[in-house]
Amino acid sequence: MAIRDIVKVGDEILRKTSKEVLTFDEKLSDLIDDMFDTLRKAEGAGLAAPQVGILKRVVVIDIGEGPVEMVNPTIISQGPLVCVDEGCLSVPGRSGKVMRPKSLKVEAFDRHGNKKIYSAKGYFAQAVSHEVDHLDGVLYIDKEVSAQDCAAAR
Ligand code: CO
C-alpha cells in the first residue's frame, strides 16, 4: 500500500475519459488500496483513479460511514437536483456551489467483480455524482452555479 500523488487541475489527464475495468486482478486491488490510503492522507471524501493518474473507471468514497469502492460505476437513476457546496482534492484551496442529485441509484463492482447496487442519499449521492464525473473528465468547476441560483435551489 502506498500514498500516490494527486493530479491537480490543469493536468490534461483529468480531462480524459477513463476506461472500463475488464480484469479484476491483484493490480486493481493494489490500486484501490493505494487510493484509500491517498484519500485518508488527504482527508477527502472521495477519489477517482484519474486523480492518481490512472485512466480506469475506479472510485473510492469514504464519507465517514465506512470505505466504499466502486469499479465501473453506472448511475442507473437519480432524484431531483439540489444545490450543494463542493470541493475537490484536484482543485485545492477552494470550493464552489453545484447542482447534484439529492439521491441516486448506482450499480458498480467491487475489486473481486461482485456486482453491487447502492441507494445513495445526501452527501453520499453527491460524492458518487462527483466521482463518476471524474471518470468522464468532468470537474465540479465546470458546473458551478451562482450563489443566487444556488439559493433558489436549496
Ligand atoms: Co474531485
Side-chain angles (χ1 to χ4, degrees), residues 81-85 96-99 144-154:
L81 299 176
V82 286
C83 187
V84 289
D85 293 304
K97 298 177 188 313
V98 290
M99 304 297 292
E144 273 189 85
V145 298
S146 70
Q148 219 167 10
D149 289 347
C150 186
R154 286 269 188 200

Side-chain angles (χ1 to χ4, degrees), residues 51 88 130 134:
Q51 292 182 277
C88 177
H130 177 115
H134 271 300

Side-chain angles (χ1 to χ4, degrees), residues 17-74:
T17 301
S18 292
K19 291 194 178 72
E20 199 165 332
V21 171
L22 302 174
T23 313
F24 293 78
D25 57 5
E26 199 61 32
K27 206 175 157 193
L28 174 68
S29 191
D30 287 347
L31 171 65
I32 293 170
D33 285 338
D34 285 0
M35 286 172 65
F36 275 124
D37 286 348
T38 306
L39 179 65
R40 278 183 205 112
K41 175 87 191 303
E43 297 179 340
L47 190 69
Q51 292 182 277
V52 293
I54 307 288
L55 288 170
K56 286 185 179 171
R57 302 190 79 81
V58 178
V59 310
V60 299
I61 292 170
D62 192 341
I63 55 159
E65 296 171 359
V68 179
E69 62 200 45
M70 294 185 181
V71 179
N72 299 338
T74 307

Side-chain angles (χ1 to χ4, degrees), residues 24 28 69-71 107-118:
F24 293 78
L28 174 68
E69 62 200 45
M70 294 185 181
V71 179
E107 182 184 285
F109 297 84
D110 67 11
R111 70 183 69 197
H112 308 293
N114 299 309
K115 192 197 277 187
K116 314 246 175 184
I117 292 176
Y118 298 90

Side-chain angles (χ1 to χ4, degrees), residues 46-48 51 86-91 130-131 134 138-140:
L47 190 69
Q51 292 182 277
E86 198 159 291
C88 177
L89 294 175
S90 291
V91 190
H130 177 115
E131 300 312 330
H134 271 300
V138 174
L139 300 176
Y140 86 85

